[in-house]
Amino acid sequence: MRLASGLDDAAGGCRQVAEVLAGYGAALRGLERRVMTARHEVETARVRAVAARERYAAALAGGVVTVPWSWTDAPAFAAVPQAAAELGVWRSAVRDAAEGLRAFAACCDEREDLDRQTAARLVGVEVMGAYAPGTGVDAIVDVPLAQALASVAAGTMTSEERSLLARWFSSAADEVAVDELTSFLDAWGSDTGVMAAVFAAMGGERTMRLLTALGNAVPFAQHHHPNTLSALGTQVRAGLAVGSRGWSKAQVESFADEMFRQMVFFDGASVVGYLFADPDRALMSAALTVAVADRIDGWEREHGRLPPGGDQPGYWLASAAVPGSDPRAVLDPAAGVLATLGAYPQVARDWLTGVDVDWSNDAAVYDRARVDYWFEERAWPLGISDGFAGVATLWLGVQSAMGSPQEVWQRAALNDAIFARFSRNAALLLTENISPPASLRLAQVVASQIVTLVEVGGMRGPINDRAAWELVPTPFDPDKAVAATVTRVELVRILAAATSEPEGRLAVQRALLGYEVDALALAADGTASVDRVLERLAVVWAVADGAVNGATQAELQRVSDEVRVSLGLARVPVDVALAFVPNPIVAIGLDAAVDYLEKLAVEHWTPGQPEPASVRSAGADPISLFFTDAVQTYRDAGLWDQPALRSDSAEELAGAEGLEYVQMYQDVSLAVHSALQESSSESGGRSGEGA
């Protein structure tokens, strides 16, 4: 075949041919539209002319002998005065038809010119001259590669033509022809059909070999600049993501098998880590992600975690993309694969729990082996992994649900299991192992469940230790919400990890502030019990304060005056009368959190009032004064919903009642602080680099 003998020449001219044929196809589409318009004009004019002829003939029959008459011919008999108007209509219709025919003829002439011009341009391309020097269009498009490219331009590519392009790409990939591969992916990297054919033909093994060759060439950069090699690696990754969406199950399984063999036996771990490292811009299909996750899961639970390998081509490709970076996360392929799995919430939930489970049963039985391994046994510390970012992204992903009861129950049951297992992960309890992205994702997990976590985990533990979820009333949902059965120890351990970095701390701060503001608003308008709201605020503040302080004290290197000063003390307004009452949460002092609180407080409590809520961090009053003033304010507003205690004065009465919340805050804060100190002591003797 001529294509086979001249494959290298075809590579150089491939992009030029595509550009010529793309212009040819666009011009043909424009001509087609004009021909259709001309055809429509001729047809409608003919209908009008025939109708006018028939009406004119009817007038002739009224007094003159009928004469045969073609609709395009002028009448060869005397005009009939009473039908003169019909004759005018006929003449106008025939003129319109003639104009349409002239337009059609012009399109035919332009088509001939376009064919000749395209032929000349194609012959001028080096690859075309090599195949068919001096020939016309018919000879040129007989070249299989040109036919395939023409089909791309016209949107009519067949499976055989896709296979042809795939074979060309595979040959270029085997030779690591950087420039040719770059041009090819520039042109067709977003075409699902072409990419599916290309990478199915390549297979997992050759795809891995190509990326390995590119990555290994980055440190030396003998023939190409590292940026060029990295850019091609990015294109290959994106092309695989596009193509994987068009595969059959058999194609997915075959590709994953080859990829996994390269990963395990040929130091390909970093390449798989690289392929799954950017789900925002190169999201692998759910089917491919699950297939790779299945294989990694099966291997690690039987043999232990995959070694990073001696060569690190995936690392070099990722580092060249962001000069000065140290993307060690790609050395752990499980991190990126699980993070990508989180982009498919229901698929992720089913992967972790299995399918065909009756989630309406609050003690449903399902296989927890994957949750046990990936969240409790597996360590993800910085240096050898991504600092828990991938697995935290997976957990965040499963929070998304369409709202069906089965999804809500399954999510709650899964959250129950993950809280229990993750809070026992020894490496997670050492907060220096946690990366900023992981801190943020964990904070977002907590924020997504904040209303139910306050009730079960904050206010109390589970009612039934065997149940995975329960129904609980909240200030926001008196009809009861589905809550995971989380213990307080589990909650504060995850909360400590979530607030270990500024990104996560800020997200938790915003979630707590949002909860506070909304709950106090419900109390202020009489929708929620004041006593229940103040109880929950005391617990929320205590849990946050205890978690942050306990974690920082456990990790001595994180304790400093600078950190404490930067966190500061914030103040939360309950009403206009409480504008200067302090909030005792140590973790609520950043400017962003203060701005957020001010905005929500004004919207909820002081609509239309010119004086904004004031939030101060210095000279805060004792916590007892907050609750004393809160109780007194709600009493004055007629909203206090608890029996009065015996006292000599209203001020003493409010103070006594307020102290109940202060005591609750102190008890919970101390318990949280102690629990974290104990947890850290237990995990301190372990390195965090286990499973």
Coordinates of all heavy atoms in Angstrom, one line a residue, residues 7-83:
L7 N 4.9 6.3 5.0 CA 4.3 6.8 6.2 C 5.0 7.9 6.8 O 4.4 8.9 7.3 CB 4.3 5.6 7.2 CG 3.4 5.7 8.4 CD1 1.9 6.0 8.0 CD2 3.5 4.5 9.3
D8 N 6.3 7.9 6.8 CA 7.1 9.0 7.3 C 6.8 10.3 6.6 O 6.7 11.4 7.2 CB 8.6 8.7 7.3 CG 8.9 7.6 8.3 OD1 8.1 7.3 9.2 OD2 10.0 6.9 8.0
D9 N 6.7 10.3 5.3 CA 6.4 11.5 4.5 C 5.0 12.0 4.8 O 4.8 13.2 4.9 CB 6.5 11.2 3.0 CG 7.9 10.9 2.5 OD1 8.8 11.3 3.2 OD2 8.1 10.2 1.5
A10 N 4.1 11.1 5.0 CA 2.7 11.5 5.4 C 2.7 12.2 6.7 O 1.9 13.2 6.8 CB 1.8 10.2 5.5
A11 N 3.5 11.9 7.6 CA 3.5 12.5 8.9 C 3.8 14.0 8.8 O 3.1 14.9 9.3 CB 4.5 11.9 9.8
G12 N 4.8 14.4 7.9 CA 5.2 15.8 7.8 C 4.1 16.6 7.1 O 3.9 17.8 7.4
G13 N 3.4 16.0 6.1 CA 2.4 16.8 5.4 C 1.0 16.6 5.9 O 0.0 17.2 5.4
C14 N 0.8 15.8 7.0 CA -0.5 15.5 7.5 C -1.3 16.8 7.8 O -2.5 17.0 7.4 CB -0.4 14.6 8.7 SG -2.0 14.0 9.3
R15 N -0.7 17.6 8.6 CA -1.4 18.8 9.1 C -1.8 19.8 7.9 O -2.9 20.3 7.9 CB -0.6 19.6 10.1 CG -1.3 20.8 10.7 CD -0.4 21.4 11.8 NE -1.1 22.6 12.3 CZ -2.1 22.7 13.1 NH1 -2.6 21.6 13.6 NH2 -2.6 23.8 13.5
Q16 N -0.9 19.9 6.9 CA -1.1 20.8 5.8 C -2.3 20.2 5.0 O -3.2 21.0 4.5 CB 0.1 20.9 4.9 CG 1.3 21.5 5.6 CD 2.5 21.5 4.6 OE1 2.4 22.1 3.5 NE2 3.6 20.9 5.0
V17 N -2.4 18.9 4.8 CA -3.5 18.3 4.1 C -4.8 18.6 4.8 O -5.8 18.9 4.2 CB -3.3 16.8 3.9 CG1 -4.5 16.2 3.3 CG2 -2.1 16.6 3.0
A18 N -4.7 18.4 6.1 CA -6.0 18.7 6.9 C -6.5 20.1 6.7 O -7.7 20.3 6.6 CB -5.7 18.4 8.4
E19 N -5.5 21.1 6.7 CA -5.9 22.5 6.6 C -6.6 22.7 5.2 O -7.6 23.4 5.1 CB -4.7 23.4 6.8 CG -4.2 23.4 8.2 CD -2.9 24.2 8.4 OE1 -2.4 24.6 7.4 OE2 -2.5 24.4 9.5
V20 N -6.0 22.1 4.2 CA -6.5 22.3 2.8 C -7.9 21.7 2.7 O -8.8 22.4 2.2 CB -5.6 21.7 1.8 CG1 -6.3 21.7 0.4 CG2 -4.3 22.4 1.7
L21 N -8.0 20.5 3.2 CA -9.3 19.8 3.1 C -10.4 20.4 4.0 O -11.6 20.4 3.7 CB -9.2 18.3 3.4 CG -8.4 17.6 2.3 CD1 -8.2 16.1 2.7 CD2 -9.0 17.7 1.0
A22 N -9.9 21.0 5.1 CA -10.9 21.7 6.0 C -11.5 22.9 5.3 O -12.7 23.1 5.3 CB -10.2 22.1 7.3
G23 N -10.6 23.6 4.6 CA -11.1 24.8 3.8 C -12.0 24.4 2.7 O -13.0 25.0 2.4
Y24 N -11.6 23.3 2.0 CA -12.4 22.7 0.9 C -13.8 22.3 1.4 O -14.8 22.6 0.8 CB -11.7 21.5 0.3 CG -12.4 20.9 -0.8 CD1 -12.5 21.5 -2.1 CD2 -12.9 19.6 -0.7 CE1 -13.2 20.9 -3.1 CE2 -13.6 18.9 -1.8 CZ -13.7 19.6 -3.0 OH -14.3 19.0 -4.0
G25 N -13.9 21.6 2.6 CA -15.1 21.2 3.1 C -16.0 22.4 3.5 O -17.2 22.4 3.3
A26 N -15.4 23.4 4.1 CA -16.2 24.6 4.5 C -16.8 25.3 3.2 O -17.9 25.7 3.2 CB -15.3 25.6 5.3
A27 N -15.9 25.4 2.2 CA -16.4 26.0 1.0 C -17.6 25.2 0.3 O -18.5 25.8 -0.2 CB -15.3 26.2 0.0
L28 N -17.4 23.9 0.4 CA -18.5 23.0 -0.2 C -19.8 23.2 0.6 O -20.9 23.2 0.0 CB -18.0 21.6 -0.1 CG -17.1 21.1 -1.2 CD1 -16.8 19.6 -1.0 CD2 -17.7 21.3 -2.6
R29 N -19.7 23.3 1.9 CA -20.9 23.5 2.7 C -21.5 24.9 2.4 O -22.8 25.0 2.3 CB -20.5 23.4 4.2 CG -20.3 22.0 4.7 CD -20.2 21.9 6.2 NE -19.0 22.6 6.7 CZ -17.8 22.0 6.8 NH1 -17.7 20.7 6.5 NH2 -16.8 22.7 7.4
G30 N -20.7 25.9 2.1 CA -21.3 27.2 1.7 C -22.0 27.1 0.3 O -23.1 27.6 0.1
L31 N -21.4 26.4 -0.6 CA -22.0 26.2 -1.9 C -23.3 25.4 -1.8 O -24.3 25.7 -2.5 CB -21.0 25.5 -2.9 CG -19.9 26.3 -3.5 CD1 -18.9 25.4 -4.3 CD2 -20.5 27.4 -4.4
E32 N -23.2 24.4 -0.9 CA -24.4 23.6 -0.8 C -25.6 24.4 -0.3 O -26.8 24.2 -0.8 CB -24.2 22.4 0.2 CG -25.3 21.5 0.5 CD -25.1 20.5 1.5 OE1 -24.1 20.6 2.2 OE2 -25.8 19.5 1.6
R33 N -25.3 25.3 0.6 CA -26.4 26.2 1.1 C -27.0 27.0 0.0 O -28.2 27.2 -0.1 CB -25.9 27.0 2.3 CG -25.7 26.2 3.6 CD -25.5 27.1 4.8 NE -24.3 27.9 4.7 CZ -23.1 27.4 5.1 NH1 -23.0 26.3 5.8 NH2 -22.0 28.2 5.0
R34 N -26.1 27.6 -0.8 CA -26.6 28.4 -1.9 C -27.3 27.7 -3.0 O -28.3 28.1 -3.5 CB -25.4 29.1 -2.5 CG -24.7 30.2 -1.6 CD -23.4 30.7 -2.1 NE -23.4 31.1 -3.5 CZ -22.4 31.3 -4.3 NH1 -21.2 31.0 -3.8 NH2 -22.5 31.8 -5.5
V35 N -26.9 26.4 -3.3 CA -27.6 25.6 -4.2 C -29.0 25.3 -3.7 O -30.0 25.3 -4.5 CB -26.8 24.3 -4.5 CG1 -27.7 23.3 -5.2 CG2 -25.6 24.6 -5.3
M36 N -29.1 25.0 -2.4 CA -30.4 24.7 -1.8 C -31.3 25.9 -1.9 O -32.5 25.8 -2.2 CB -30.2 24.2 -0.4 CG -29.5 22.9 -0.2 SD -30.4 21.5 -1.1 CE -31.9 21.4 -0.1
T37 N -30.8 27.1 -1.7 CA -31.6 28.3 -1.8 C -32.1 28.5 -3.2 O -33.2 28.8 -3.5 CB -30.7 29.5 -1.3 OG1 -30.3 29.3 0.0 CG2 -31.5 30.8 -1.5
A38 N -31.2 28.3 -4.2 CA -31.6 28.5 -5.6 C -32.6 27.5 -6.0 O -33.6 27.8 -6.7 CB -30.3 28.4 -6.5
R39 N -32.4 26.3 -5.6 CA -33.4 25.2 -5.9 C -34.8 25.6 -5.3 O -35.8 25.4 -5.9 CB -32.9 23.9 -5.3 CG -33.9 22.7 -5.6 CD -33.3 21.4 -5.0 NE -34.3 20.4 -5.2 CZ -34.1 19.1 -4.8 NH1 -32.9 18.8 -4.2 NH2 -35.0 18.2 -4.9
H40 N -34.8 26.1 -4.1 CA -36.1 26.5 -3.5 C -36.7 27.6 -4.2 O -38.0 27.6 -4.5 CB -35.8 26.9 -2.0 CG -37.0 27.4 -1.3 ND1 -38.0 26.6 -0.9 CD2 -37.4 28.7 -1.0 CE1 -39.0 27.3 -0.3 NE2 -38.6 28.6 -0.3
E41 N -35.9 28.6 -4.7 CA -36.5 29.7 -5.4 C -37.1 29.2 -6.8 O -38.2 29.6 -7.2 CB -35.4 30.7 -5.7 CG -34.9 31.5 -4.4 CD -33.8 32.4 -4.7 OE1 -33.3 32.4 -5.9 OE2 -33.4 33.2 -3.8
V42 N -36.4 28.3 -7.5 CA -36.9 27.8 -8.7 C -38.2 27.0 -8.5 O -39.2 27.2 -9.3 CB -35.9 26.9 -9.4 CG1 -36.5 26.2 -10.6 CG2 -34.7 27.8 -9.8
E43 N -38.2 26.2 -7.5 CA -39.4 25.4 -7.2 C -40.6 26.2 -6.9 O -41.7 26.0 -7.4 CB -39.1 24.4 -6.1 CG -40.3 23.5 -5.8 CD -40.7 22.6 -6.9 OE1 -39.9 22.4 -7.9 OE2 -41.9 22.1 -6.9
T44 N -40.5 27.2 -6.0 CA -41.6 28.0 -5.6 C -42.1 28.9 -6.8 O -43.3 29.1 -7.0 CB -41.2 28.9 -4.4 OG1 -40.1 29.7 -4.7 CG2 -41.0 28.1 -3.2
A45 N -41.1 29.4 -7.6 CA -41.5 30.1 -8.8 C -42.3 29.3 -9.8 O -43.2 29.7 -10.4 CB -40.2 30.7 -9.5
R46 N -41.9 28.0 -9.9 CA -42.6 27.1 -10.9 C -44.0 26.9 -10.4 O -45.0 27.0 -11.2 CB -41.9 25.8 -10.9 CG -42.5 24.8 -12.0 CD -42.0 23.4 -11.8 NE -42.4 22.8 -10.6 CZ -43.6 22.2 -10.5 NH1 -44.5 22.2 -11.5 NH2 -44.0 21.7 -9.3
V47 N -44.2 26.7 -9.1 CA -45.6 26.6 -8.5 C -46.4 27.8 -8.8 O -47.6 27.7 -9.2 CB -45.5 26.3 -7.0 CG1 -46.9 26.3 -6.4 CG2 -44.8 24.9 -6.8
R48 N -45.8 29.0 -8.6 CA -46.6 30.2 -8.8 C -46.9 30.3 -10.3 O -48.0 30.7 -10.7 CB -45.8 31.4 -8.4 CG -45.7 31.5 -6.9 CD -44.6 32.4 -6.4 NE -44.5 33.6 -7.2 CZ -43.3 34.2 -7.5 NH1 -42.2 33.7 -7.1 NH2 -43.3 35.3 -8.2
A49 N -46.0 30.0 -11.2 CA -46.2 30.1 -12.7 C -47.3 29.2 -13.1 O -48.2 29.5 -13.9 CB -44.9 29.9 -13.4
V50 N -47.3 27.9 -12.7 CA -48.3 27.0 -13.1 C -49.6 27.4 -12.6 O -50.6 27.3 -13.4 CB -47.9 25.6 -12.5 CG1 -49.1 24.6 -12.6 CG2 -46.7 25.0 -13.2
A51 N -49.7 27.9 -11.4 CA -51.0 28.4 -10.9 C -51.6 29.5 -11.7 O -52.8 29.6 -12.1 CB -50.9 28.8 -9.4
A52 N -50.7 30.4 -12.0 CA -51.1 31.6 -12.9 C -51.5 31.1 -14.3 O -52.5 31.6 -14.8 CB -50.0 32.6 -13.0
R53 N -50.8 30.1 -14.8 CA -51.2 29.6 -16.1 C -52.5 29.0 -16.1 O -53.4 29.2 -17.0 CB -50.1 28.6 -16.6 CG -50.4 27.9 -17.9 CD -49.6 26.7 -18.2 NE -50.0 25.7 -17.2 CZ -49.4 24.5 -17.1 NH1 -48.4 24.2 -17.9 NH2 -49.8 23.6 -16.2
E54 N -52.8 28.2 -15.1 CA -54.1 27.6 -15.0 C -55.2 28.6 -14.8 O -56.3 28.4 -15.4 CB -54.1 26.6 -13.8 CG -53.2 25.4 -14.0 CD -53.1 24.5 -12.8 OE1 -53.6 24.9 -11.7 OE2 -52.5 23.4 -12.9
R55 N -55.0 29.6 -14.1 CA -56.1 30.6 -13.9 C -56.3 31.4 -15.3 O -57.4 31.7 -15.6 CB -55.7 31.6 -12.8 CG -55.8 31.0 -11.4 CD -55.7 32.1 -10.3 NE -54.4 32.8 -10.4 CZ -53.3 32.4 -9.6 NH1 -53.4 31.3 -8.9 NH2 -52.2 33.1 -9.7
Y56 N -55.1 31.6 -16.0 CA -55.2 32.3 -17.3 C -56.0 31.4 -18.3 O -56.8 31.9 -19.1 CB -53.8 32.6 -17.8 CG -53.8 33.6 -18.9 CD1 -53.9 34.9 -18.7 CD2 -53.7 33.1 -20.3 CE1 -53.9 35.9 -19.8 CE2 -53.7 34.0 -21.3 CZ -53.8 35.4 -21.1 OH -53.8 36.3 -22.1
A57 N -55.7 30.1 -18.2 CA -56.3 29.2 -19.1 C -57.8 29.1 -18.8 O -58.7 29.0 -19.8 CB -55.7 27.8 -19.0
A58 N -58.2 29.2 -17.6 CA -59.6 29.2 -17.2 C -60.3 30.4 -17.8 O -61.4 30.4 -18.3 CB -59.8 29.2 -15.7
A59 N -59.6 31.6 -17.9 CA -60.2 32.8 -18.5 C -60.4 32.6 -20.0 O -61.4 33.0 -20.6 CB -59.3 34.0 -18.2
L60 N -59.4 31.9 -20.6 CA -59.5 31.6 -22.1 C -60.8 30.8 -22.3 O -61.5 31.0 -23.3 CB -58.3 31.0 -22.6 CG -57.0 31.8 -22.6 CD1 -55.8 31.0 -23.1 CD2 -57.2 33.0 -23.6
A61 N -61.0 29.8 -21.5 CA -62.1 28.9 -21.7 C -63.4 29.6 -21.6 O -64.4 29.1 -22.1 CB -62.0 27.8 -20.7
G62 N -63.4 30.8 -20.9 CA -64.7 31.5 -20.8 C -65.1 32.1 -22.1 O -66.3 32.6 -22.2
G63 N -64.3 32.2 -23.1 CA -64.8 32.9 -24.3 C -63.9 32.7 -25.5 O -64.2 33.1 -26.6
V64 N -62.7 32.1 -25.3 CA -61.7 31.9 -26.3 C -61.3 30.5 -26.3 O -61.2 29.8 -25.3 CB -60.5 32.8 -26.1 CG1 -59.5 32.7 -27.2 CG2 -60.9 34.3 -26.0
V65 N -61.0 30.0 -27.5 CA -60.5 28.6 -27.6 C -59.2 28.4 -26.9 O -58.3 29.2 -27.0 CB -60.4 28.2 -29.1 CG1 -59.9 26.8 -29.2 CG2 -61.7 28.4 -29.9
T66 N -59.1 27.3 -26.1 CA -57.9 27.0 -25.3 C -56.8 26.6 -26.2 O -57.0 25.8 -27.1 CB -58.2 25.9 -24.3 OG1 -59.3 26.4 -23.4 CG2 -57.0 25.6 -23.4
V67 N -55.6 27.1 -25.9 CA -54.4 26.8 -26.7 C -53.4 26.2 -25.8 O -53.1 26.6 -24.7 CB -53.8 28.1 -27.3 CG1 -52.5 27.7 -28.1 CG2 -54.8 28.8 -28.2
P68 N -52.8 25.0 -26.1 CA -51.8 24.4 -25.3 C -50.6 25.4 -25.0 O -50.2 26.1 -25.9 CB -51.3 23.2 -26.2 CG -52.4 22.9 -27.1 CD -53.0 24.3 -27.4
W69 N -50.1 25.3 -23.7 CA -49.2 26.3 -23.3 C -48.3 25.8 -22.2 O -48.8 25.4 -21.1 CB -50.0 27.6 -22.8 CG -49.2 28.7 -22.3 CD1 -48.0 29.1 -22.7 CD2 -49.6 29.6 -21.3 NE1 -47.5 30.2 -22.0 CE2 -48.6 30.5 -21.1 CE3 -50.8 29.8 -20.5 CZ2 -48.6 31.6 -20.2 CZ3 -50.8 30.8 -19.6 CH2 -49.7 31.7 -19.4
S70 N -47.0 25.8 -22.4 CA -46.0 25.4 -21.4 C -45.9 26.5 -20.4 O -45.9 27.7 -20.8 CB -44.7 25.0 -22.0 OG -43.7 24.9 -21.1
W71 N -45.6 26.1 -19.1 CA -45.5 27.2 -18.1 C -44.3 28.1 -18.3 O -44.3 29.2 -17.8 CB -45.5 26.6 -16.7 CG -44.2 25.9 -16.3 CD1 -43.9 24.6 -16.5 CD2 -43.1 26.5 -15.6 NE1 -42.6 24.3 -16.0 CE2 -42.1 25.5 -15.4 CE3 -42.9 27.8 -15.1 CZ2 -40.9 25.7 -14.8 CZ3 -41.7 28.0 -14.5 CH2 -40.7 27.0 -14.3
T72 N -43.3 27.6 -19.1 CA -42.2 28.5 -19.3 C -42.2 29.3 -20.6 O -41.3 30.1 -20.8 CB -40.9 27.6 -19.3 OG1 -41.0 26.7 -20.3 CG2 -40.7 26.9 -18.0
D73 N -43.3 29.0 -21.4 CA -43.4 29.7 -22.7 C -44.4 30.8 -22.6 O -45.4 30.7 -22.0 CB -43.8 28.7 -23.8 CG -42.8 27.6 -24.0 OD1 -41.6 27.9 -23.7 OD2 -43.2 26.5 -24.4
A74 N -44.0 31.9 -23.4 CA -45.0 33.0 -23.5 C -46.2 32.6 -24.3 O -46.0 31.9 -25.3 CB -44.3 34.3 -24.1
P75 N -47.4 33.1 -24.0 CA -48.6 32.7 -24.8 C -48.5 33.2 -26.3 O -48.1 34.4 -26.5 CB -49.7 33.3 -24.0 CG -49.1 34.4 -23.3 CD -47.7 34.0 -22.9
A76 N -48.9 32.4 -27.2 CA -48.8 32.7 -28.6 C -50.2 33.1 -29.2 O -50.5 32.8 -30.3 CB -48.2 31.6 -29.4
F77 N -51.0 33.7 -28.4 CA -52.3 34.1 -28.8 C -52.6 35.5 -28.2 O -51.9 35.9 -27.3 CB -53.4 33.1 -28.4 CG -53.2 32.6 -27.0 CD1 -53.6 33.3 -25.9 CD2 -52.5 31.4 -26.8 CE1 -53.4 32.8 -24.6 CE2 -52.3 30.9 -25.5 CZ -52.8 31.6 -24.4
A78 N -53.7 36.1 -28.6 CA -54.1 37.4 -28.1 C -54.3 37.4 -26.6 O -54.8 36.4 -26.0 CB -55.3 37.9 -28.9
A79 N -53.9 38.5 -26.0 CA -54.1 38.6 -24.5 C -55.6 38.7 -24.2 O -56.4 39.2 -25.0 CB -53.3 39.9 -24.0
V80 N -55.9 38.2 -23.1 CA -57.3 38.3 -22.6 C -57.3 39.4 -21.5 O -56.7 39.3 -20.4 CB -57.7 37.0 -21.9 CG1 -59.2 37.1 -21.4 CG2 -57.6 35.9 -22.9
P81 N -58.0 40.5 -21.8 CA -57.9 41.7 -20.9 C -58.3 41.4 -19.5 O -57.7 41.8 -18.5 CB -58.8 42.7 -21.6 CG -58.8 42.3 -23.0 CD -58.7 40.8 -23.0
Q82 N -59.4 40.6 -19.3 CA -59.9 40.3 -18.0 C -58.9 39.4 -17.2 O -59.1 39.2 -16.0 CB -61.3 39.6 -18.0 CG -61.3 38.3 -18.8 CD -61.6 38.5 -20.2 OE1 -61.2 39.5 -20.8 NE2 -62.4 37.5 -20.8
A83 N -57.9 38.8 -17.8 CA -56.9 38.0 -17.1 C -55.5 38.6 -17.1 O -54.5 37.9 -17.0 CB -56.9 36.6 -17.7

